[in-house]
Every structure is written in structure tokens, then in C-alpha cells.
Amino acid sequence: MGAVKSLVFFTKRIIILASVFSMLSCVNVFAAVDTNALNNNMLQNINDLRESLGLQALKIDSSLISIANIRSDEASDEWSHTRPNGEQGVEMIPADRWRGENLSNITDTEDVSEAAKIMFNNLVESPDHYDNMVFDQFTRIGIASHVEDGKITVAYMFSS
């Protein structure tokens, strides 16, 4: 009887350990995404586009990064420019400024440059998103990425 209990106990421990390792391997795949590199890559792509059109480069703004962090978290839960409270994302930026918001996402990638290229191209192909990136009154930007469950969600907040 003691040998059976030991075998059952040992088997349960193996199953638990296998489950933990399985969960950790899923988490680690996307924990490896360097969101700072992704955000910097996206900023470079946007500013390269602006430069090609003779426009001023956008400067990073810490208050817009804070807003973008909130929006990337919210958009990762509910894909929309409408916030959970019913307001539009741009309403987080003071109304006395020019303001705009772009959102993008991608799944199943760890390659930051490939993710940035795909998301940037998708934004360029969307007239409203393209217009935000090249609007000459925008001078500042905040970019933030949220990584969860195999999906990267990025928010871009534009302002004057």
C-alpha cells in the first residue's frame, strides 16, 4: 500500500511540474519582446516617413507616453478607440492641443523589427492612421506597447 501511495504522490508531482514548465514556456516567449526597442523602431519609422515628406520629426513626450501606456492596456482588452468609460482615447490629451491616436497590434512574433515593419505598413495603408502620422501640426508623440497572451498592442498618442 505504501508503494502505491508513493507512486501516486510522485505522479502528481510530475504532472504539476509539467504544467508549471508548460505555463512558463508560454510566458517566456512573449516576455522576450523588447517593447522599448519596438517603440523606438516605430518612432523611427514614423519620423522617417515625416522626413521623406519634409515634415518635422516628432519628439517623445513623457505625458503622452503615460497616456499611451493606459491606452495600450485598454486596447489590449477591448480593441477600440473608445475607452472603457465611453470617452475617446484622444480625450485624455488636453483639448487646447491638436490630438490624435493610432492603435496597432500583432500576434505571434518576437522579432521586433519585423513586428514594427508589419504594424507600420498597416498604419500607412490606413488613410486615417496615415493622416495622424503625417499631420504637420503634430510635434510630439508618446508610444507604449502592451504584451499579453501572444499579442502585442501598441498605442501612439499624437499632440502639438
Side-chain angles (χ1 to χ4, degrees), residues 17-33:
L17 285 173
S19 297
V20 168
F21 286 129
S22 176
M23 288 186 290
L24 288 175
S25 67
C26 290
V27 170
N28 287 337
V29 167
F30 288 96
V33 173

Side-chain angles (χ1 to χ4, degrees), residues 21-147:
F21 286 129
S22 176
M23 288 186 290
L24 288 175
S25 67
C26 290
V27 170
N28 287 337
V29 167
F30 288 96
V33 173
D34 184 348
T35 56
N36 286 328
L38 177 63
N39 298 344
N40 289 335
N41 205 325
M42 292 304 296
L43 175 65
Q44 187 63 52
N45 289 341
I46 292 168
N47 279 336
D48 287 349
L49 172 64
R50 292 175 65 86
E51 181 182 351
S52 75
L53 299 171
L55 299 170
Q56 167 184 353
L58 298 173
K59 303 227 182 316
I60 289 291
D61 181 283
S62 60
S63 65
L64 293 176
I65 289 173
S66 296
I67 294 169
N69 270 313
I70 294 168
R71 290 297 299 131
S72 65
D73 288 349
E74 291 174 348
S76 72
D77 290 334
E78 179 69 32
W79 187 248
S80 176
H81 288 286
T82 303
R83 300 188 63 217
N85 66 5
E87 295 177 354
Q88 294 299 300
V90 295
E91 292 180 60
M92 297 177 75
I93 301 170
D96 63 343
R97 299 181 185 159
W98 288 102
R99 52 195 185 166
E101 174 186 72
N102 283 357
L103 300 172
S104 60
N105 66 31
I106 192 166
T107 56
D108 300 326
T109 185
E110 283 184 60
D111 184 337
V112 168
S113 62
E114 184 65 20
K117 179 181 176 183
I118 292 168
M119 288 189 290
F120 179 74
N121 288 337
N122 288 339
L123 291 171
V124 167
E125 292 174 10
S126 167
D128 291 336
H129 294 102
Y130 178 84
D131 288 347
N132 277 341
M133 293 189 296
V134 300
F135 184 54
D136 64 349
Q137 296 300 309
F138 289 146
T139 58
R140 301 179 307 149
I141 190 170
I143 303 174
S145 300
H146 179 89
V147 180

